[in-house]
Coordinates of all heavy atoms in Angstrom, one line a residue:
M1 N 0.8 -1.2 0.0 CA 0.0 0.0 0.0 C 0.9 1.3 0.0 O 1.8 1.4 0.8 CB -0.9 0.0 1.2 CG -1.9 1.1 1.3 SD -3.0 0.8 2.7 CE -4.1 2.1 2.4
K2 N 0.5 2.2 -0.9 CA 1.3 3.4 -1.0 C 1.1 4.3 0.3 O 0.0 4.4 0.8 CB 0.9 4.2 -2.2 CG 1.3 3.6 -3.5 CD 0.8 4.5 -4.6 CE 1.2 4.0 -6.0 NZ 0.8 5.0 -7.1
K3 N 2.2 5.0 0.7 CA 2.0 6.0 1.7 C 1.2 7.2 1.1 O 1.3 7.4 -0.1 CB 3.4 6.4 2.2 CG 4.1 5.3 2.9 CD 5.3 5.9 3.7 CE 6.0 4.8 4.4 NZ 5.6 4.7 5.8
R4 N 0.6 7.9 2.0 CA -0.3 9.0 1.6 C 0.2 10.3 2.0 O 0.7 10.5 3.1 CB -1.7 8.8 2.3 CG -2.3 7.4 1.9 CD -3.7 7.3 2.5 NE -4.5 8.2 1.7 CZ -5.6 8.8 2.2 NH1 -5.9 8.6 3.5 NH2 -6.3 9.6 1.5
I5 N 0.2 11.3 1.0 CA 0.6 12.6 1.2 C -0.6 13.6 1.0 O -1.2 13.5 -0.1 CB 1.8 13.0 0.3 CG1 3.0 12.0 0.5 CG2 2.2 14.4 0.6 CD1 4.1 12.3 -0.4
L6 N -0.8 14.5 1.9 CA -1.7 15.6 1.7 C -1.0 16.8 1.4 O -0.1 17.3 2.2 CB -2.6 15.8 2.9 CG -3.5 17.0 2.9 CD1 -4.6 16.9 1.8 CD2 -4.2 17.2 4.2
F7 N -1.2 17.4 0.2 CA -0.6 18.7 -0.2 C -1.6 19.7 0.0 O -2.8 19.5 -0.3 CB -0.1 18.6 -1.6 CG 1.0 17.6 -1.9 CD1 0.7 16.3 -2.3 CD2 2.3 18.0 -1.9 CE1 1.7 15.4 -2.6 CE2 3.3 17.1 -2.1 CZ 3.0 15.8 -2.5
V8 N -1.2 20.9 0.4 CA -2.1 22.1 0.6 C -1.5 23.2 -0.2 O -0.3 23.6 0.0 CB -2.3 22.5 2.1 CG1 -3.2 23.7 2.2 CG2 -2.8 21.3 2.9
G9 N -2.3 23.8 -1.1 CA -1.9 24.9 -1.9 C -2.9 26.0 -1.9 O -4.1 25.7 -1.6
H10 N -2.5 27.2 -2.2 CA -3.5 28.3 -2.1 C -4.4 28.4 -3.3 O -5.5 28.8 -3.2 CB -2.8 29.7 -1.8 CG -1.6 30.0 -2.6 ND1 -0.4 29.5 -2.3 CD2 -1.5 30.8 -3.6 CE1 0.5 29.9 -3.2 NE2 -0.2 30.7 -4.0
D11 N -4.0 28.0 -4.5 CA -4.8 28.0 -5.6 C -4.1 27.3 -6.8 O -3.1 26.8 -6.6 CB -5.3 29.4 -6.1 CG -4.1 30.4 -6.4 OD1 -3.1 29.9 -7.1 OD2 -4.1 31.5 -6.1
A12 N -4.8 27.3 -7.9 CA -4.3 26.6 -9.1 C -3.9 27.5 -10.2 O -4.0 27.2 -11.4 CB -5.3 25.5 -9.6
N13 N -3.6 28.8 -9.9 CA -3.1 29.7 -10.9 C -1.8 29.3 -11.4 O -1.0 28.7 -10.8 CB -3.1 31.1 -10.3 CG -4.4 31.7 -10.0 OD1 -5.4 31.5 -10.7 ND2 -4.6 32.4 -8.8
R14 N -1.5 29.7 -12.7 CA -0.2 29.4 -13.3 C 0.8 30.4 -12.9 O 1.1 31.4 -13.6 CB -0.4 29.4 -14.8 CG 0.7 28.8 -15.6 CD 0.4 28.6 -17.1 NE -0.6 27.6 -17.3 CZ -0.5 26.3 -17.3 NH1 0.7 25.8 -17.0 NH2 -1.5 25.5 -17.5
A15 N 1.4 30.1 -11.7 CA 2.4 31.0 -11.2 C 3.5 30.2 -10.5 O 3.4 28.9 -10.4 CB 1.8 32.0 -10.2
G16 N 4.5 30.8 -10.0 CA 5.7 30.1 -9.4 C 5.5 29.0 -8.4 O 5.8 27.9 -8.6
A17 N 4.8 29.4 -7.3 CA 4.6 28.4 -6.2 C 3.7 27.2 -6.7 O 3.9 26.1 -6.4 CB 4.0 29.1 -5.0
Q18 N 2.7 27.6 -7.5 CA 1.8 26.6 -8.0 C 2.4 25.6 -9.0 O 2.2 24.4 -8.9 CB 0.5 27.2 -8.6 CG -0.3 28.1 -7.6 CD 0.2 29.5 -7.5 OE1 1.4 29.8 -7.7 NE2 -0.7 30.4 -7.2
L19 N 3.2 26.2 -9.8 CA 4.0 25.3 -10.8 C 5.0 24.4 -10.1 O 5.1 23.2 -10.4 CB 4.7 26.2 -11.8 CG 3.8 26.8 -12.9 CD1 4.5 27.9 -13.6 CD2 3.2 25.8 -13.8
F20 N 5.6 25.0 -9.1 CA 6.5 24.1 -8.3 C 5.8 23.0 -7.6 O 6.2 21.8 -7.6 CB 7.2 25.0 -7.2 CG 8.1 24.2 -6.3 CD1 9.4 23.8 -6.7 CD2 7.7 23.9 -5.0 CE1 10.2 23.0 -5.9 CE2 8.5 23.1 -4.2 CZ 9.7 22.7 -4.6
L21 N 4.6 23.3 -7.0 CA 3.9 22.2 -6.3 C 3.4 21.2 -7.3 O 3.5 20.0 -7.0 CB 2.6 22.9 -5.6 CG 1.7 21.9 -4.9 CD1 2.5 21.2 -3.8 CD2 0.5 22.6 -4.3
W22 N 3.0 21.6 -8.5 CA 2.6 20.6 -9.5 C 3.7 19.7 -9.9 O 3.6 18.5 -10.0 CB 2.0 21.4 -10.8 CG 1.7 20.4 -11.9 CD1 0.7 19.5 -12.0 CD2 2.5 20.3 -13.1 NE1 0.8 18.9 -13.2 CE2 1.9 19.3 -13.9 CE3 3.6 20.9 -13.6 CZ2 2.3 18.9 -15.1 CZ3 4.1 20.6 -14.9 CH2 3.4 19.6 -15.6
Q23 N 4.9 20.3 -10.0 CA 6.1 19.4 -10.4 C 6.4 18.4 -9.2 O 6.7 17.3 -9.5 CB 7.3 20.3 -10.6 CG 7.3 21.1 -11.9 CD 7.5 20.2 -13.1 OE1 8.0 19.1 -13.0 NE2 7.1 20.8 -14.3
V24 N 6.3 18.9 -8.0 CA 6.6 18.0 -6.9 C 5.6 16.8 -6.9 O 6.0 15.7 -6.8 CB 6.5 18.8 -5.5 CG1 6.5 17.8 -4.3 CG2 7.7 19.8 -5.4
I25 N 4.3 17.2 -7.0 CA 3.3 16.1 -7.0 C 3.5 15.2 -8.2 O 3.4 14.0 -8.1 CB 1.9 16.7 -7.0 CG1 1.6 17.5 -5.7 CG2 0.8 15.6 -7.1 CD1 0.4 18.3 -5.7
R26 N 3.8 15.7 -9.3 CA 4.0 14.9 -10.6 C 5.1 13.9 -10.4 O 4.9 12.8 -10.8 CB 4.3 15.9 -11.7 CG 4.2 15.2 -13.1 CD 4.3 16.2 -14.2 NE 5.6 16.9 -14.3 CZ 6.6 16.4 -15.0 NH1 6.5 15.3 -15.7 NH2 7.7 17.1 -15.0
H27 N 6.1 14.3 -9.7 CA 7.3 13.4 -9.5 C 7.0 12.4 -8.4 O 7.5 11.2 -8.5 CB 8.5 14.2 -9.2 CG 9.1 14.9 -10.4 ND1 9.7 14.2 -11.5 CD2 9.1 16.2 -10.7 CE1 10.1 15.1 -12.4 NE2 9.7 16.3 -12.0
L28 N 6.2 12.7 -7.4 CA 5.9 11.8 -6.3 C 4.7 10.9 -6.6 O 4.6 9.8 -5.9 CB 5.7 12.6 -5.0 CG 6.9 13.3 -4.5 CD1 6.6 14.1 -3.2 CD2 8.0 12.3 -4.2
A29 N 3.8 11.3 -7.4 CA 2.6 10.6 -7.7 C 2.7 9.1 -8.0 O 2.0 8.2 -7.5 CB 1.7 11.2 -8.7
P30 N 3.8 8.7 -8.8 CA 3.9 7.2 -9.1 C 4.3 6.4 -7.8 O 4.0 5.2 -7.8 CB 5.1 7.2 -10.1 CG 5.1 8.6 -10.7 CD 4.7 9.5 -9.6
M31 N 4.8 7.0 -6.8 CA 5.3 6.3 -5.6 C 4.3 6.5 -4.4 O 4.4 5.7 -3.5 CB 6.7 6.8 -5.2 CG 7.7 6.5 -6.3 SD 9.2 7.3 -6.0 CE 8.8 9.0 -6.4
Y32 N 3.5 7.5 -4.4 CA 2.7 7.9 -3.3 C 1.2 8.2 -3.7 O 1.0 8.6 -4.8 CB 3.2 9.1 -2.6 CG 4.6 9.0 -2.0 CD1 5.7 9.3 -2.7 CD2 4.8 8.4 -0.7 CE1 7.0 9.1 -2.2 CE2 6.1 8.2 -0.2 CZ 7.2 8.6 -1.0 OH 8.4 8.4 -0.5
D33 N 0.3 8.0 -2.8 CA -1.1 8.4 -3.0 C -1.2 9.8 -2.6 O -1.1 10.2 -1.4 CB -2.0 7.5 -2.1 CG -3.4 7.8 -2.2 OD1 -3.8 8.6 -3.1 OD2 -4.2 7.3 -1.4
C34 N -1.4 10.7 -3.6 CA -1.3 12.1 -3.4 C -2.7 12.7 -3.4 O -3.5 12.5 -4.3 CB -0.5 12.8 -4.5 SG 1.2 12.2 -4.5
T35 N -3.0 13.5 -2.4 CA -4.3 14.3 -2.3 C -3.9 15.8 -2.2 O -3.0 16.1 -1.4 CB -5.1 13.9 -1.1 OG1 -5.5 12.5 -1.2 CG2 -6.4 14.7 -1.0
L36 N -4.6 16.6 -2.9 CA -4.3 18.1 -2.9 C -5.5 18.8 -2.5 O -6.5 18.7 -3.1 CB -3.8 18.5 -4.3 CG -3.6 20.0 -4.5 CD1 -2.6 20.6 -3.6 CD2 -3.3 20.3 -6.0
L37 N -5.3 19.6 -1.4 CA -6.4 20.5 -1.0 C -6.0 21.9 -1.4 O -5.0 22.4 -1.1 CB -6.5 20.5 0.6 CG -7.5 21.5 1.2 CD1 -8.9 21.3 0.7 CD2 -7.4 21.4 2.7
L38 N -6.9 22.5 -2.3 CA -6.6 23.8 -2.8 C -7.6 24.8 -2.2 O -8.8 24.5 -2.1 CB -6.8 23.9 -4.3 CG -5.7 23.2 -5.1 CD1 -6.1 23.2 -6.6 CD2 -4.4 23.9 -4.9
L39 N -7.1 26.0 -1.8 CA -8.0 27.0 -1.3 C -8.8 27.7 -2.4 O -9.8 28.3 -2.1 CB -7.2 28.0 -0.5 CG -6.3 27.4 0.6 CD1 -5.6 28.5 1.4 CD2 -7.2 26.5 1.6
G40 N -8.3 27.7 -3.6 CA -9.0 28.3 -4.8 C -8.7 27.6 -6.0 O -7.7 26.8 -6.1
S41 N -9.4 27.9 -7.1 CA -9.2 27.2 -8.4 C -8.2 28.0 -9.3 O -7.5 28.9 -8.8 CB -10.6 27.2 -9.1 OG -10.5 26.4 -10.3
G42 N -8.1 27.6 -10.5 CA -7.2 28.3 -11.4 C -6.8 27.4 -12.7 O -7.4 26.3 -12.8
E43 N -6.0 28.0 -13.5 CA -5.6 27.3 -14.8 C -5.0 26.0 -14.7 O -5.0 25.1 -15.6 CB -4.7 28.2 -15.6 CG -5.2 29.6 -15.9 CD -4.9 30.6 -14.8 OE1 -4.1 30.3 -13.9 OE2 -5.6 31.7 -14.8
L44 N -4.3 25.7 -13.6 CA -3.6 24.4 -13.4 C -4.5 23.3 -12.8 O -4.0 22.2 -12.6 CB -2.4 24.6 -12.5 CG -1.2 25.4 -13.0 CD1 -0.1 25.6 -11.9 CD2 -0.6 24.6 -14.2
L45 N -5.7 23.6 -12.6 CA -6.6 22.6 -12.0 C -6.6 21.2 -12.7 O -6.5 20.2 -12.1 CB -8.0 23.1 -11.8 CG -9.0 22.3 -11.0 CD1 -8.4 22.2 -9.5 CD2 -10.3 23.0 -10.9
D46 N -6.8 21.2 -14.0 CA -6.8 20.0 -14.8 C -5.4 19.3 -14.7 O -5.4 18.0 -14.6 CB -7.1 20.2 -16.2 CG -8.6 20.6 -16.4 OD1 -9.4 20.2 -15.5 OD2 -8.9 21.3 -17.4
D47 N -4.3 20.0 -14.7 CA -3.0 19.4 -14.5 C -2.9 18.7 -13.1 O -2.3 17.6 -13.0 CB -1.9 20.5 -14.7 CG -1.9 21.0 -16.1 OD1 -1.8 20.2 -17.0 OD2 -1.8 22.3 -16.2
Y48 N -3.3 19.4 -12.1 CA -3.3 18.8 -10.8 C -4.2 17.6 -10.7 O -3.8 16.6 -10.1 CB -3.9 19.8 -9.7 CG -2.9 20.9 -9.3 CD1 -3.4 22.2 -9.1 CD2 -1.6 20.7 -9.0 CE1 -2.5 23.3 -8.7 CE2 -0.8 21.7 -8.5 CZ -1.2 23.0 -8.4 OH -0.4 24.0 -7.9
R49 N -5.3 17.6 -11.3 CA -6.2 16.4 -11.3 C -5.6 15.2 -12.0 O -5.9 14.1 -11.6 CB -7.5 16.7 -12.1 CG -8.4 17.7 -11.4 CD -9.7 17.8 -12.2 NE -10.5 18.9 -11.7 CZ -11.3 19.6 -12.5 NH1 -11.4 19.4 -13.8 NH2 -12.0 20.6 -11.9
R50 N -4.7 15.4 -13.0 CA -4.1 14.3 -13.7 C -3.1 13.6 -12.8 O -2.8 12.4 -13.0 CB -3.4 14.8 -14.9 CG -4.3 15.0 -16.1 CD -3.6 15.2 -17.4 NE -3.2 16.6 -17.6 CZ -4.0 17.5 -18.1 NH1 -5.3 17.3 -18.3 NH2 -3.5 18.7 -18.3
V51 N -2.6 14.2 -11.7 CA -1.6 13.6 -10.9 C -2.0 13.4 -9.4 O -1.2 12.8 -8.7 CB -0.2 14.4 -10.9 CG1 0.3 14.4 -12.3 CG2 -0.4 15.8 -10.4
S52 N -3.2 13.9 -9.1 CA -3.6 13.7 -7.7 C -5.1 13.8 -7.5 O -5.8 14.2 -8.5 CB -3.0 14.8 -6.8 OG -3.4 16.1 -7.2
T53 N -5.6 13.4 -6.4 CA -7.0 13.7 -6.0 C -7.1 15.1 -5.5 O -6.3 15.5 -4.7 CB -7.5 12.8 -4.9 OG1 -7.3 11.4 -5.3 CG2 -8.9 13.0 -4.5
V54 N -8.0 15.9 -6.1 CA -8.1 17.4 -5.8 C -9.3 17.7 -5.1 O -10.4 17.3 -5.5 CB -8.0 18.2 -7.1 CG1 -8.1 19.7 -6.8 CG2 -6.7 18.0 -7.9
L55 N -9.2 18.4 -3.9 CA -10.3 18.9 -3.2 C -10.2 20.4 -3.2 O -9.2 21.0 -2.9 CB -10.3 18.4 -1.7 CG -10.2 16.9 -1.5 CD1 -10.0 16.6 -0.1 CD2 -11.5 16.2 -2.1
L56 N -11.3 21.1 -3.5 CA -11.3 22.5 -3.5 C -12.1 23.0 -2.3 O -13.2 22.6 -2.0 CB -12.1 23.1 -4.7 CG -11.3 23.0 -6.1 CD1 -12.2 23.5 -7.2 CD2 -10.0 23.8 -6.0
W57 N -11.4 23.9 -1.6 CA -12.0 24.5 -0.3 C -13.1 25.5 -0.7 O -14.1 25.5 -0.1 CB -10.9 25.2 0.5 CG -11.3 25.6 1.8 CD1 -11.7 26.9 2.2 CD2 -11.4 24.8 3.0 NE1 -12.0 26.9 3.5 CE2 -11.8 25.6 4.0 CE3 -11.1 23.5 3.2 CZ2 -12.0 25.1 5.3 CZ3 -11.3 23.0 4.5 CH2 -11.7 23.8 5.6
E58 N -12.9 26.3 -1.7 CA -13.8 27.3 -2.1 C -14.5 26.9 -3.4 O -13.9 26.2 -4.2 CB -13.2 28.7 -2.4 CG -12.6 29.3 -1.1 CD -11.9 30.6 -1.4 OE1 -11.8 31.0 -2.6 OE2 -11.4 31.2 -0.5
E59 N -15.7 27.3 -3.7 CA -16.4 27.0 -4.9 C -16.1 28.1 -5.9 O -16.9 29.0 -6.2 CB -17.9 26.9 -4.7 CG -18.2 25.8 -3.8 CD -19.7 25.5 -3.7 OE1 -20.5 26.2 -4.4 OE2 -20.1 24.7 -2.9
A60 N -14.9 28.0 -6.5 CA -14.4 29.1 -7.4 C -14.7 28.7 -8.8 O -14.9 29.6 -9.6 CB -12.9 29.3 -7.2
D61 N -14.7 27.5 -9.2 CA -14.9 27.1 -10.6 C -16.3 26.4 -10.7 O -16.4 25.2 -10.6 CB -13.8 26.1 -11.0 CG -13.9 25.6 -12.4 OD1 -14.8 26.1 -13.1 OD2 -13.1 24.8 -12.8
R62 N -17.3 27.2 -10.9 CA -18.7 26.8 -11.0 C -19.0 25.9 -12.2 O -20.0 25.3 -12.3 CB -19.6 27.9 -10.9 CG -19.5 28.7 -9.5 CD -20.5 29.8 -9.4 NE -20.1 30.6 -8.2 CZ -20.4 30.3 -7.0 NH1 -21.0 29.1 -6.7 NH2 -20.1 31.1 -6.0
S63 N -18.1 25.9 -13.2 CA -18.4 25.1 -14.4 C -18.2 23.6 -14.2 O -18.6 22.8 -15.0 CB -17.5 25.6 -15.6 OG -16.1 25.3 -15.3
K64 N -17.5 23.3 -13.1 CA -17.2 21.8 -12.8 C -17.6 21.5 -11.4 O -16.8 21.3 -10.5 CB -15.8 21.5 -13.1 CG -15.3 21.7 -14.5 CD -13.9 21.3 -14.7 CE -13.5 21.2 -16.2 NZ -13.5 22.5 -16.9
P65 N -18.9 21.4 -11.1 CA -19.4 21.3 -9.7 C -18.9 20.1 -9.0 O -18.7 20.1 -7.8 CB -20.9 21.3 -9.8 CG -21.2 21.1 -11.3 CD -20.0 21.5 -12.1
K66 N -18.6 19.0 -9.7 CA -18.2 17.8 -8.9 C -16.8 18.0 -8.3 O -16.4 17.3 -7.3 CB -18.2 16.6 -9.8 CG -17.0 16.4 -10.8 CD -17.2 15.1 -11.5 CE -15.9 14.8 -12.2 NZ -15.9 13.5 -12.8
W67 N -16.0 19.0 -8.8 CA -14.7 19.2 -8.2 C -14.8 20.3 -7.2 O -13.8 20.6 -6.5 CB -13.7 19.6 -9.3 CG -13.4 18.4 -10.2 CD1 -13.9 18.2 -11.4 CD2 -12.7 17.3 -9.9 NE1 -13.5 17.0 -11.9 CE2 -12.7 16.4 -11.0 CE3 -11.9 16.9 -8.8 CZ2 -12.1 15.2 -11.0 CZ3 -11.3 15.7 -8.8 CH2 -11.3 14.9 -10.0
N68 N -15.8 21.1 -7.2 CA -16.0 22.2 -6.2 C -16.7 21.7 -5.0 O -17.9 21.9 -4.9 CB -16.8 23.4 -6.9 CG -15.9 24.0 -7.9 OD1 -14.7 24.2 -7.7 ND2 -16.5 24.3 -9.1
L69 N -16.0 21.2 -4.1 CA -16.6 20.5 -3.0 C -17.0 21.5 -1.9 O -17.9 21.3 -1.2 CB -15.6 19.6 -2.3 CG -15.2 18.5 -3.3 CD1 -14.0 17.7 -2.7 CD2 -16.3 17.6 -3.6
G70 N -16.4 22.7 -1.9 CA -16.8 23.7 -0.9 C -16.2 23.3 0.5 O -15.7 22.2 0.7
K71 N -16.2 24.2 1.4 CA -15.7 24.0 2.7 C -16.2 22.8 3.5 O -15.4 22.0 3.9 CB -15.9 25.3 3.5 CG -15.3 25.3 4.9 CD -15.6 26.7 5.6 CE -15.2 26.7 7.0 NZ -15.4 28.0 7.6
K72 N -17.5 22.7 3.6 CA -18.1 21.6 4.4 C -17.8 20.3 3.8 O -17.4 19.3 4.4 CB -19.6 21.8 4.5 CG -20.2 20.9 5.5 CD -21.7 21.3 5.7 CE -22.3 20.5 6.8 NZ -21.9 20.9 8.2
T73 N -17.9 20.1 2.4 CA -17.6 18.9 1.8 C -16.1 18.5 1.9 O -15.8 17.3 2.1 CB -18.1 18.9 0.3 OG1 -19.4 19.3 0.3 CG2 -17.9 17.6 -0.3
A74 N -15.2 19.5 1.7 CA -13.8 19.2 1.8 C -13.5 18.7 3.2 O -12.7 17.8 3.4 CB -13.0 20.5 1.5
Q75 N -14.1 19.4 4.2 CA -13.8 18.9 5.6 C -14.3 17.5 5.8 O -13.6 16.7 6.4 CB -14.5 19.8 6.6 CG -13.9 21.2 6.7 CD -14.7 22.1 7.6 OE1 -16.0 22.1 7.6 NE2 -14.1 23.0 8.3
T76 N -15.5 17.2 5.3 CA -16.1 15.9 5.4 C -15.2 14.8 4.7 O -15.0 13.7 5.3 CB -17.5 15.8 4.8 OG1 -18.3 16.8 5.5 CG2 -18.1 14.5 5.0
R77 N -14.7 15.1 3.5 CA -13.9 14.2 2.8 C -12.6 13.9 3.5 O -12.0 12.8 3.4 CB -13.6 14.7 1.4 CG -14.8 14.7 0.4 CD -15.1 13.5 -0.3 NE -14.0 12.9 -1.1 CZ -13.7 13.2 -2.4 NH1 -14.5 14.0 -3.0 NH2 -12.7 12.7 -3.0
L78 N -12.0 14.9 4.2 CA -10.8 14.8 4.9 C -10.9 14.2 6.2 O -10.0 13.5 6.8 CB -10.0 16.1 4.9 CG -9.5 16.6 3.6 CD1 -9.0 18.1 3.8 CD2 -8.4 15.7 3.1
Q79 N -12.1 14.3 6.9 CA -12.3 13.9 8.2 C -12.1 12.3 8.3 O -12.6 11.6 7.5 CB -13.7 14.2 8.7 CG -13.9 14.0 10.1 CD -15.3 14.6 10.5 OE1 -16.2 14.8 9.7 NE2 -15.4 14.9 11.8
G80 N -11.3 11.9 9.3 CA -11.1 10.5 9.5 C -10.0 9.9 8.6 O -9.7 8.7 8.8
Q81 N -9.5 10.6 7.7 CA -8.4 10.1 6.9 C -7.1 10.4 7.6 O -6.9 11.3 8.3 CB -8.4 10.8 5.5 CG -9.6 10.5 4.6 CD -9.3 11.0 3.2 OE1 -8.2 10.8 2.7 NE2 -10.3 11.6 2.6
S82 N -6.2 9.5 7.3 CA -4.8 9.7 7.9 C -3.8 9.8 6.7 O -4.0 9.2 5.7 CB -4.4 8.5 8.8 OG -4.4 7.3 8.0
F83 N -2.9 10.7 6.9 CA -1.8 10.9 6.0 C -0.5 10.7 6.6 O -0.3 11.0 7.8 CB -1.9 12.3 5.4 CG -3.2 12.6 4.6 CD1 -4.3 13.1 5.2 CD2 -3.2 12.2 3.3 CE1 -5.5 13.3 4.5 CE2 -4.4 12.4 2.5 CZ -5.5 12.9 3.1
D84 N 0.5 10.2 5.9 CA 1.8 9.9 6.4 C 2.6 11.2 6.4 O 3.6 11.4 7.2 CB 2.5 8.9 5.5 CG 1.8 7.5 5.6 OD1 1.8 6.9 6.6 OD2 1.2 7.2 4.6
L85 N 2.2 12.2 5.5 CA 2.9 13.5 5.4 C 1.9 14.5 5.0 O 1.1 14.2 4.1 CB 4.1 13.4 4.4 CG 4.9 14.6 4.2 CD1 5.7 15.0 5.4 CD2 5.8 14.5 3.0
I86 N 2.0 15.7 5.5 CA 1.3 16.9 5.1 C 2.3 17.9 4.6 O 3.1 18.3 5.4 CB 0.3 17.4 6.2 CG1 -0.7 16.4 6.6 CG2 -0.4 18.7 5.7 CD1 -1.6 16.7 7.7
Y87 N 2.1 18.3 3.4 CA 3.1 19.3 2.8 C 2.3 20.6 2.5 O 1.4 20.6 1.7 CB 3.6 18.7 1.5 CG 4.6 19.6 0.7 CD1 6.0 19.5 1.0 CD2 4.1 20.5 -0.2 CE1 6.9 20.3 0.3 CE2 5.0 21.4 -0.8 CZ 6.4 21.2 -0.6 OH 7.3 22.0 -1.3
L88 N 2.7 21.7 3.2 CA 2.0 23.0 3.0 C 2.8 23.8 2.0 O 4.0 24.1 2.3 CB 1.9 23.7 4.3 CG 1.1 22.9 5.4 CD1 1.1 23.7 6.7 CD2 -0.4 22.7 4.9
N89 N 2.2 24.2 1.0 CA 2.9 25.0 -0.1 C 2.2 26.4 -0.2 O 2.0 26.9 -1.2 CB 2.8 24.3 -1.4 CG 3.8 24.8 -2.4 OD1 5.0 24.7 -2.2 ND2 3.3 25.4 -3.5
T90 N 1.8 26.9 1.0 CA 1.1 28.2 1.0 C 1.3 28.9 2.3 O 1.6 28.3 3.3 CB -0.4 28.0 0.7 OG1 -1.1 29.2 0.6 CG2 -1.1 27.1 1.8
I91 N 1.1 30.2 2.2 CA 1.0 31.0 3.5 C -0.3 31.6 3.6 O -0.6 32.4 4.6 CB 2.1 32.1 3.5 CG1 2.0 33.0 2.4 CG2 3.5 31.5 3.6 CD1 2.8 34.3 2.5
A92 N -1.3 31.2 2.7 CA -2.6 31.7 2.8 C -3.3 31.2 4.0 O -3.0 30.1 4.4 CB -3.4 31.4 1.5
V93 N -4.2 31.9 4.6 CA -4.9 31.5 5.8 C -6.4 31.2 5.4 O -7.0 32.0 4.7 CB -4.9 32.6 6.8 CG1 -5.7 32.2 8.1 CG2 -3.5 33.0 7.2
I94 N -6.9 30.1 6.0 CA -8.3 29.7 5.8 C -9.1 30.4 6.9 O -8.8 30.3 8.0 CB -8.5 28.2 5.9 CG1 -7.7 27.5 4.8 CG2 -10.0 27.9 5.8 CD1 -7.7 26.0 5.0
S95 N -10.1 31.1 6.5 CA -11.0 31.8 7.5 C -12.3 31.2 7.6 O -12.8 30.5 6.7 CB -11.1 33.3 7.1 OG -11.6 33.5 5.8

């Protein structure tokens, strides 16, 4: 069974930190079960989906409702799960 990693990022915009996170997940995904919690959507969302399970904290991308879980659904999906590592790639604060 693969070890599990929870990644946390602030959004999926095509910018430095987000591209770095995508590269990290892309390289680790063959060896680990990767889940990504994003605080917001963006252009890299489909790229992130190809390499990990994506949970969106905010409902930013209304065109794809099954991926827009919202705060309550994201909490429910994460509740009771255990991860071997949590990697935070953001300084954004959830309010």
